[in-house]
Amino acid sequence: MPGTRKLGRTTDHRLAMLRGMVTYLLENGRIETTYTRAKEVQSMTEKYITLAKENTLHNKRQALSFVTKEDVVKKLFDEIAPSYAERNGGYTRVTRIGPRRGDGAEMAVIELVK
């Protein structure tokens, strides 16, 4: 089960939202979202980058079961994971950017560390 925060969603909706956000982060390298969502996406993204460091068929299938686009999984295994080969965790950074206008939710930017 990904994470412990419920984020005000049912389980299916929460899982679908996290899958989409992790896929978008791996595809583009940066997302602006609420702070609590960013913390959940951070843990899931780091899990799949660590998984991709060992390039096996089993790991690719596990990544494909969560990440929604095949080309993003290919990018994960061919470009992203090898760039973090010498690093043990800390692949993403969450930076707070202040409250959102309207409801005042704490906003953050989550990005892949270069």
Side-chain angles (χ1 to χ4, degrees):
M1 179 68 199
T4 57
R5 296 175 185 93
K6 293 192 177 180
L7 303 173
R9 308 264 185 291
T10 62
T11 304
D12 292 337
H13 187 182
R14 183 173 58 249
L15 187 58
M17 180 184 69
L18 288 174
R19 288 178 68 190
M21 292 179 82
V22 168
T23 301
Y24 191 82
L25 177 61
L26 292 173
E27 187 175 23
N28 298 312
R30 180 183 166 108
I31 295 179
E32 183 176 322
T33 184
T34 62
Y35 182 71
T36 53
R37 285 183 188 175
K39 295 300 280 184
E40 282 298 304
V41 170
Q42 180 180 31
S43 67
M44 296 305 298
T45 303
E46 298 218 0
K47 174 184 173 184
Y48 284 100
I49 291 173
T50 302
L51 183 79
K53 287 169 106 177
E54 185 180 342
N55 193 353
T56 63
L57 180 60
H58 178 66
N59 288 349
K60 282 185 182 178
R61 286 180 175 167
Q62 282 185 321
L64 276 168
S65 72
F66 190 80
V67 177
T68 59
K69 296 181 180 176
E70 288 184 30
D71 57 327
V72 175
V73 172
K74 182 167 177 43
K75 179 180 178 182
L76 173 64
F77 277 84
D78 295 343
E79 298 171 24
I80 298 171
S83 67
Y84 296 119
E86 299 300 319
R87 193 176 184 121
N88 294 325
Y91 314 120
T92 58
R93 173 187 307 126
V94 175
T95 308
R96 293 180 191 226
I97 57 173
R100 177 167 56 196
R101 183 181 168 129
D103 65 353
E106 185 68 32
M107 296 298 287
V109 172
I110 179 169
E111 57 193 351
L112 295 175
V113 176
K114 299 291 183 226

